[in-house]
Amino acid sequence: MVTPEETSHRLGWLEAGGSHHELGLALGRQGKRAVRERLMGTPLWREVTAARHLPLVRRLQAATAEHFPWVAEELEGLAQGLELPLEAVAAWNCRGDLLASVPDGCTTLVLPGEAPLIAHNEDGLPCLDGSCFLARLRPAGQPAFLTFCYPGSLPGHTFSLTAAGLVATLNNLRLVDITPELPRMVLSRALLAEPDLAAALVLLETAPAGGGFHYALAQAGDSEVLSVEVGGGGFSCRALAAPTLHANHCLHLDLPQAITASSADRQRRGEALIAAGERDPLTLLRDTSGPGLPIYRRAPDDPDEENTLATALFRLPSEDVAWQVVVPGEAGSREGIGLY
């Protein structure tokens, strides 16, 4: 087993606590080098931070300050830690609201039952491979949480476990023709502050419209796993009773969307493997065989500009959720019980 504190590995580690501004500052400092050396030179960064998006970004900033002022404080700290203008950092954290298609793919597998398992491939920009990190964060007055972080981004839109027992894994939904009122990454950050699964569902169902996310949600001590699709003012929730794979497009929320070849191929291949009786999560999520584009994405020329950067497994229903994170090219795995 590789403990989180061993930082000589490809997946970094951050431990931070304090006010929301202090957390944002720590996150910014952790990701500063990767953002400046790897991210800011990409066409996506230039597109998202283009001046034509500024009026909408400012409206979304105002909505964040109105609904979740503490997230606005984290964004301010994040910008300070990155040593970048707040509007550029805010725009980057609105990327899925500004554009219908951004490289935040991901595949989630749920194996329900008396002892359910949620497994998740975190797929993101290849240029950030080796620059992402796990963070154990302790915000003042809110539940602590463990989460996978991208440099320059708010926590909460990848995979997370909170001290309140919430498990959440997220997939990008490429919704089209939406009018965002609140950034989806602000909403997913706010989710980590909720005291339980019931409160998390109320938050998602009543939130202002934003870009789309699929959430696989569970509560420690409970065997139920939920598939929740949110975006564009829509909300759909289903309890999962059979093995299910979700490859970042809407499966039950009826909204216009774009489905890439990779997303469609991963969905078909995952369903075929499940139908054939495969239940090993790493076998499923590391599959590169079959027709079409693979579930496990490591090609430098991936058509969606996404690579699998980490695979997470959460085992329930114990009050102390067992977690494991496996990273391509890294020997062993990071693993623990609860937040440790």
Side-chain angles (χ1 to χ4, degrees):
M1 179 178 81
V2 179
T3 61
E5 288 75 9
E6 295 177 35
T7 57
S8 61
H9 299 270
R10 299 183 71 247
L11 183 62
W13 176 258
L14 173 67
E15 183 106 23
S19 71
H20 292 288
H21 185 274
E22 289 170 329
L23 288 184
L25 185 63
L27 289 164
R29 288 171 173 166
Q30 180 84 3
K32 175 182 171 182
R33 181 173 179 178
V35 169
R36 290 178 167 274
E37 295 182 0
R38 298 188 178 201
L39 187 57
M40 292 178 65
T42 64
L44 180 63
W45 176 275
R46 291 192 293 270
E47 165 63 17
V48 168
T49 59
R52 66 186 179 90
H53 293 305
L54 271 179
L56 177 53
V57 170
R58 287 169 179 161
R59 290 199 299 273
L60 293 173
Q61 281 183 275
T64 299
E66 176 186 354
H67 292 280
F68 300 105
W70 56 272
V71 180
E73 292 175 14
E74 283 190 12
L75 268 172
E76 291 167 3
L78 181 64
Q80 183 179 341
L82 292 168
E83 298 184 14
L84 291 173
L86 175 59
E87 284 187 338
V89 176
W92 181 246
N93 282 271
C94 294
R95 56 190 180 271
D97 311 285
L98 303 177
L99 305 176
S101 183
V102 291
D104 296 307
C106 306
T107 304
T108 297
L109 170 70
V110 175
L111 301 177
E114 292 184 3
L117 180 139
I118 302 175
H120 176 85
N121 274 356
E122 184 60 39
D123 298 342
L125 282 167
C127 71
L128 296 180
D129 192 10
S131 295
C132 299
F133 53 98
L134 285 178
R136 189 162 56 201
L137 303 177
R138 293 182 170 83
Q142 292 180 356
F145 58 93
L146 178 76
T147 191
F148 179 97
C149 293
Y150 285 97
S153 292
L154 287 168
H157 66 105
T158 56
F159 56 82
S160 306
L161 168 65
T162 79
L166 278 175
V167 175
T169 67
L170 277 68
N171 294 341
N172 177 34
L173 302 177
R174 295 183 172 96
L175 304 181
V176 297
D177 298 326
I178 67 165
T179 301
E181 300 171 11
L182 183 76
R184 65 177 189 172
M185 287 172 57
V186 169
L187 180 62
S188 62
R189 171 64 188 96
L191 182 89
L192 300 184
E194 293 300 326
D196 53 39
L197 181 57
L201 291 175
V202 171
L203 174 75
L204 296 179
E205 187 170 12
T206 60
F213 273 143
H214 169 264
Y215 297 76
L217 296 175
Q219 177 82 52
D222 192 336
S223 62
E224 184 174 62
V225 181
L226 302 178
S227 170
V228 182
E229 295 177 345
V230 179
F235 172 89
S236 179
C237 177
R238 291 184 176 178
L240 299 177
T244 305
L245 184 129
H246 193 287
N248 82 279
H249 59 269
C250 294
L251 297 182
H252 47 88
L253 180 65
D254 186 17
L255 286 176
Q257 64 176 323
I259 303 175
T260 67
S262 170
S263 184
D265 287 347
R266 283 180 283 124
Q267 191 69 44
R268 282 192 291 266
R269 179 59 179 165
E271 290 176 354
L273 288 169
I274 290 171
E278 183 58 66
R279 296 296 184 269
D280 181 79
L282 290 180
T283 298
L284 278 156
L285 291 180
R286 288 189 158 188
D287 182 77
T288 57
S289 57
L293 294 162
I295 293 174
Y296 188 64
R297 314 168 70 183
R298 295 297 295 167
D301 59 348
D302 180 273
D304 291 346
E305 295 185 86
E306 296 164 357
N307 274 189
T308 301
L309 306 180
T311 300
L313 296 90
F314 297 95
R315 293 177 171 85
L316 295 103
S318 168
E319 295 290 346
D320 293 318
V321 177
W323 58 269
Q324 180 182 9
V325 179
V326 183
V327 177
E330 186 173 289
S333 65
R334 313 292 179 93
E335 53 192 80
I337 304 294
L339 299 192
Y340 299 92

